[in-house]
């Protein structure tokens, strides 16, 4: 399985699915932090996005500069078909491994 996704890569790709056109570094970081209650650093997010882009799972583009951002442009990200396929495979593997374990894994 040469393209197996790590846990944080899965979280990044899931955030991209949820955020759609609003997916950029800060929004991805906030979405993961909000839904997982983890303190996620921006460096980890950007490093993982770069790695996913190199694998062809994610693409990026620069938005238009805005006054609100002092003329800077946001780098937006989108999930590519190869990334969606790998995410589906990864989630199916997790579901297969956890099937039947719910009572054993329930949090008290």
């Amino acid at each position: 399985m040469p393209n197996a996704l790590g846990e944080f890569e899965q979280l990044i790709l899931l955030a991209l699915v949820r955020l759609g056109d609003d997916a950029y570094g800060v929004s991805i970081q906030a979405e993961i932090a909000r839904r997982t209650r983890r303190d996620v650093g921006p460096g980890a997010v950007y490093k993982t996005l770069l790695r996913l882009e190199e694998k062809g799972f994610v693409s990026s583009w620069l938005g238009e500069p805005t006054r609100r951002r002092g003329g800077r442009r946001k780098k937006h990200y989108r999930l590519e078909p190869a990334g969606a396929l790998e995410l589906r495979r990864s989630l199916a593997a997790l579901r297969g491994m956890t099937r039947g374990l719910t009572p054993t894994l329930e949090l008290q």
Side-chain angles (χ1 to χ4, degrees), residues 1-16:
M1 229 189 263
N3 287 323
L5 295 173
E7 179 191 11
F8 197 64
E9 290 176 322
Q10 291 172 349
L11 294 177
I12 294 281
L13 295 180
L14 288 166
L16 291 177

Side-chain angles (χ1 to χ4, degrees), residues 3 13 26 34 38 41 44 63 78 92 95 99:
N3 287 323
L13 295 180
V26 173
R34 185 174 69 80
R38 284 183 175 181
R78 97 169 36 95
R95 281 192 294 273
R99 194 170 296 116

Side-chain angles (χ1 to χ4, degrees), residues 1 4-5 9-11 16 18 28 32 37-38 44 46 48-49 55 60 79 81 92-93 95-96:
M1 229 189 263
L5 295 173
E9 290 176 322
Q10 291 172 349
L11 294 177
L16 291 177
R18 289 192 172 279
I28 294 166
I32 293 171
R37 296 189 178 120
R38 284 183 175 181
Y46 287 111
T48 303
L49 284 165
K55 290 180 179 182
S60 64
L79 180 65
R95 281 192 294 273

Side-chain angles (χ1 to χ4, degrees), residues 34-105:
R34 185 174 69 80
R35 290 189 173 271
T36 66
R37 296 189 178 120
R38 284 183 175 181
D39 185 23
V40 179
V45 171
Y46 287 111
K47 184 175 181 178
T48 303
L49 284 165
L50 178 61
R51 186 170 57 250
L52 290 168
E53 201 165 9
E54 288 170 351
K55 290 180 179 182
F57 295 165
V58 168
S59 62
S60 64
W61 75 97
L62 289 175
E64 293 300 317
T66 63
R67 265 193 188 167
R68 184 174 183 191
R69 294 179 45 84
R72 294 181 322 212
R73 298 153 59 112
K74 276 185 197 172
K75 189 171 187 179
H76 296 265
Y77 295 88
R78 97 169 36 95
L79 180 65
E80 291 297 327
L85 175 62
E86 199 56 43
L87 181 58
R88 282 193 299 276
R89 286 179 181 160
S90 182
L91 294 175
L94 284 172
R95 281 192 294 273
M97 288 299 294
T98 59
R99 194 170 296 116
L101 296 178
T102 303
T104 307
L105 295 176

